[in-house]
Amino acid sequence: MFFSFHLFSQKDSTNVKGLKVEGDVFVQEGVYKPLAPARAAFYSAIFPGMGQVYNKKYWKAPIVWGALAIPTYFYLENNSEYKRFRTAYKLRKTGFQDEFTDDLGTVSVSLETLERAQKQLRENRDLSLLSGVILYVLQIVEASVNAHLLQFNTDDNLTFRPTFVQDPILFDAPKVGFTLKYTF
């Protein structure tokens, strides 16, 4: 009882790198930012391409702008052509001269052709709008996913490497496999 015993133990293996304890709460230190994906998605929703700029993937912003400019151009072009054919159709139905009828009364485009052109241009316009909305949503999702993946651990301790495995029975046909290597 009169002797003091010195007890030695190992280091605490439950400590996680980058975490520190303040009272009963674990506080994250380092690069993990839990609101970064939401912020990237918010920036992309406000102005397309800004989420990619927030993620420091500057080269993706012009791709987003070009991808959204193409359906916008086709939407505007198809809409103006649709209005042109629609106006000509309305004028012809009411008995007035339209742009497809010359001064002598010769019709270069029939009434049925005006109807078919309106239908096709309306479908093209709507398809352009749909593709623009899909691309807009995809760039928001891409910015959010990229922000998530930027926080993912890409340490060299976790790797996939293709290897050639020699079969001891059949030497002439090497086998392709993969190695999963964990290092703690």
Side-chain angles (χ1 to χ4, degrees):
M1 295 285 206
F2 297 107
F3 300 106
S4 65
F5 292 103
H6 295 284
L7 299 176
F8 296 101
S9 65
Q10 296 177 345
K11 290 177 94 178
D12 187 9
S13 64
T14 60
N15 283 342
V16 178
K17 184 179 178 182
L19 283 178
K20 67 179 183 176
V21 180
E22 291 181 2
D24 293 338
V25 178
F26 287 101
V27 178
Q28 183 73 34
E29 296 174 342
V31 286
Y32 180 73
K33 299 175 190 169
L35 295 179
R39 186 170 289 175
F42 175 73
Y43 288 158
S44 282
I46 295 299
F47 186 76
M50 285 306 295
Q52 286 76 11
V53 171
Y54 173 75
N55 291 334
K56 294 183 177 59
K57 303 287 182 176
Y58 304 108
W59 61 274
K60 290 182 181 181
I63 294 172
V64 168
W65 297 331
L68 290 174
I70 291 169
T72 302
Y73 168 77
F74 282 114
Y75 175 82
L76 295 173
E77 188 67 27
N78 287 319
N79 193 37
S80 67
E81 288 294 309
Y82 170 74
K83 288 179 181 179
R84 180 177 155 225
F85 280 92
R86 182 76 180 150
T87 303
Y89 178 78
K90 286 180 181 180
L91 288 173
R92 185 153 320 152
K93 285 297 267 187
T94 56
F96 294 108
Q97 182 178 355
D98 59 84
E99 68 175 285
F100 299 110
T101 306
D102 61 5
D103 293 334
L104 300 174
T106 307
V107 177
S108 61
V109 176
S110 69
L111 194 62
E112 293 82 24
T113 304
L114 289 174
E115 290 174 1
R116 277 188 271 131
Q118 286 179 67
K119 181 181 177 194
Q120 186 64 46
L121 289 167
R122 184 175 54 241
E123 288 176 4
N124 290 346
R125 178 193 66 186
D126 295 344
L127 186 62
S128 297
L129 179 64
L130 178 65
S131 63
V133 168
I134 289 171
L135 287 172
Y136 176 75
V137 170
L138 281 177
Q139 65 94 21
I140 294 172
V141 169
E142 192 277 331
S144 177
V145 168
N146 194 4
H148 274 290
L149 292 177
L150 286 175
Q151 299 179 35
F152 186 71
N153 183 10
T154 57
D155 200 5
D156 288 336
N157 293 333
L158 192 65
T159 59
F160 285 104
R161 293 186 183 144
T163 60
F164 290 100
V165 179
Q166 292 292 339
D167 190 0
I169 297 171
L170 299 171
F171 289 106
D172 57 343
K175 307 289 189 279
V176 177
F178 71 91
T179 302
L180 181 61
K181 184 177 178 182
Y182 290 108
T183 305
F184 294 100

